[in-house]
Amino acid sequence: MRTPLVAANWKMNGSRQFNEALLTQIVAGARQCADVDLAICPPHVYLDQARVALANTEIGLGAQNLSQYDDGAFTGEVSARMLADIECRYSLVGHSERRTLFGEDDGTVSAKFRQSQMYALQPILCVGETLEERDAGRTEEVIAGQLDAVLGVAGVFTLTAAVVAYEPVWAIGTGHSASPEQAQAVHAFIRERVARQDGTIARRLRIIYGGSVKADNAAELFAMEDIDGGLIGGASLKAEDFLAIARAASTTRT
Ligand code: PEP
């Protein structure tokens, strides 16, 4: 049995005051979904605030991004070592906004994945196709390419301490989630592709879904066999919505 993971990606949102209220409510409500792993990925500048708020809870701290380089002359960057130092447990890697808006290619994503694991941060590797690619019938080809690029560099064994997030680009922030069947088909494809290299690792791998997950569609998504939780953007900025999504992961698995 895979423990579901529900991770909040706040993106570039928040303020000290806003975060304090949100974190307090999430910590209080998280007790109702003890069988789900929760993670919060705030902007870097608020990581320490979140670290303090989440101390003595089971909720993991995550970064939204990290440098592909070790410490040194890389102005403006934040290294995996620093994120580990501030007690991050996870780091998003290859989010579609990083790939499209900041030009991160598969080589950069793979380097960040490796860097993350070198400092014992669990990478949450994001993969997903654009609408154009889906309409052209290229979804599996695109997902396979993004996954294989990382596995080719890091090796399948690294998936024992990593999470894969399937995030169709057309569903992120649009209000149009993939249907449970569409998402399940891609999740099953990912698991099967990993199984070709190692069946045990594939069975244990958490594959979470992201893209317009809301309180009212989470349960049907999380009920699918290969969907092990969610990566939540917009809805994670409201404690009641995020907690309702987390509870949906909990009740569908017990
Ligand atoms: C995301 O940013 O990873 C995401 C899934 O966003 P949203 O939930 O807003 O679609």
Side-chain angles (χ1 to χ4, degrees):
M1 179 66 111
R2 300 178 292 269
T3 303
L5 169 67
V6 176
N9 174 14
W10 288 2
K11 310 194 190 209
M12 199 167 75
N13 292 293
S15 66
R16 279 193 294 180
Q17 201 181 356
F18 176 87
N19 304 344
E20 192 181 318
L22 182 56
L23 289 163
T24 302
Q25 290 170 55
I26 289 173
V27 167
R31 296 189 192 102
Q32 293 163 20
C33 29
D35 56 342
V36 178
D37 286 346
L38 297 180
I40 308 284
C41 305
H44 280 3
V45 72
Y46 297 126
L47 278 168
D48 197 52
Q49 181 188 19
R51 182 187 66 81
V52 172
L54 301 178
N56 306 316
T57 77
E58 295 296 317
I59 303 174
L61 184 62
Q64 296 176 17
N65 185 29
L66 77 165
S67 174
Q68 67 265 45
Y69 303 113
D70 261 318
D71 293 6
F74 300 102
T75 302
E77 291 289 279
V78 174
S79 71
R81 186 199 59 78
M82 294 170 186
L83 295 172
D85 188 37
I86 204 164
E87 298 170 18
C88 278
R89 202 181 297 170
Y90 303 96
S91 177
L92 302 185
V93 173
H95 190 280
S96 79
E97 287 152 19
R98 301 295 319 167
R99 292 181 191 259
T100 56
L101 302 175
F102 300 96
E104 291 189 9
D105 60 14
D106 283 333
T108 309
V109 172
S110 304
K112 290 186 175 197
F113 184 96
R114 294 262 299 158
Q115 200 65 22
S116 171
Q117 286 204 314
M118 220 177 300
Y119 289 91
L121 296 170
Q122 277 211 35
I124 301 177
L125 171 65
C126 304
V127 297
E129 81 289 1
T130 63
L131 190 56
E132 205 176 30
E133 290 163 341
R134 172 165 280 265
D135 287 347
R138 296 184 50 225
T139 299
E140 292 190 353
E141 176 200 329
V142 170
I143 303 296
Q146 292 171 341
L147 190 62
D148 292 355
V150 171
L151 296 187
V153 170
V156 71
F157 185 72
T158 57
L159 291 182
T160 54
V163 174
V164 174
Y166 169 53
E167 294 210 301
V169 178
W170 47 272
I172 298 178
T174 60
H176 301 293
S177 169
S179 69
E181 294 73 22
Q182 283 173 320
Q184 164 61 25
V186 178
H187 283 232
F189 171 77
I190 294 169
R191 199 176 304 286
E192 196 276 325
R193 195 157 185 96
V194 175
R196 283 192 210 170
Q197 295 191 48
D198 192 305
T200 305
I201 289 174
R203 267 194 307 282
R204 293 182 180 159
L205 175 66
R206 290 194 288 193
I207 308 174
I208 63 176
Y209 168 80
S212 296
V213 178
K214 307 281 178 221
D216 60 7
N217 63 10
E220 54 179 8
L221 285 160
F222 299 162
M224 304 308 283
E225 190 180 342
D226 289 293
I227 301 184
D228 306 310
L231 180 54
I232 318 301
S236 72
L237 295 168
K238 271 195 177 168
E240 62 195 272
D241 290 355
F242 182 67
L243 289 166
I245 292 168
R247 284 195 300 274
S250 172
T251 51
T252 54
R253 299 288 166 148
T254 51

